[in-house]
């Protein structure tokens, strides 16, 4: 939030703010992540509020919220990987390239009418 607020004065007409959240903003799939999920839900309101505030300056604000993505901190072969995969209709972890593709789309000119949106990349986890 602080980084986003610090960047706003430097954005020009047509600027983009794209932040990364988590599907925990929509659901709490297991015990022990309640406070983490609370912060991710707040991220939704932050995104929508900034979209309204910055829309008149033609600056879009969107949130990408990944589900299980194969990273060093959440490997597809990690301790909880089988359980997480069992919750995902596509039956697999996502890739960082899939998340990056959504971010690239939101940063590009064809997304200029998308603001205040939450793009979920989770293989259907939140379906």
């Amino acid at each position: 939030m602080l980084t986003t607020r610090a960047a706003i004065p430097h954005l020009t007409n047509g600027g983009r703010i794209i932040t990364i959240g988590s599907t925990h903003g929509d659901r709490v799939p297991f015990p022990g992540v309640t406070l983490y999920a609370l912060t991710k839900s707040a991220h939704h309101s932050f995104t929508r509020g900034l979209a309204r505030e910055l829309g008149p300056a033609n600056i879009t604000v969107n949130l990408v919220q990944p589900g299980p993505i194969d990273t060093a901190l959440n490997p597809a072969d990690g301790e909880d990987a089988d359980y997480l995969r069992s919750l995902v209709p596509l039956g697999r972890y996502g890739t960082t390239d899939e998340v990056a593709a959504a971010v690239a789309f939101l940063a590009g000119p064809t997304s200029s009418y998308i603001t205040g949106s939450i793009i979920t990349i989770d293989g259907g986890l939140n379906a």
Side-chain angles (χ1 to χ4, degrees), residues 59-77:
I59 296 169
T60 64
V61 184
N62 293 291
L63 167 61
V64 173
Q65 60 177 23
I69 303 297
D70 186 16
T71 65
L73 292 177
N74 187 32
D77 62 356

Side-chain angles (χ1 to χ4, degrees), residues 11-18 47 50-51 54-55 57-62 106-108 111-116:
L11 296 174
T12 59
N13 185 348
R16 303 279 193 267
I17 295 174
I18 304 160
T47 298
L50 279 183
L54 300 176
N58 196 33
I59 296 169
T60 64
V61 184
N62 293 291
L106 290 171
S111 70
S112 62
Y113 198 59
I114 300 172
T115 193

Side-chain angles (χ1 to χ4, degrees), residues 21-71:
S22 166
T23 55
H24 289 311
D26 288 332
R27 70 191 309 238
V28 183
F30 41 81
V33 295
T34 302
L35 293 179
Y36 178 79
L38 174 113
T39 65
K40 299 311 173 185
S41 293
H43 203 163
H44 290 197
S45 295
F46 183 65
T47 298
R48 291 181 177 128
L50 279 183
R52 289 209 172 267
E53 289 177 22
L54 300 176
N58 196 33
I59 296 169
T60 64
V61 184
N62 293 291
L63 167 61
V64 173
Q65 60 177 23
I69 303 297
D70 186 16
T71 65

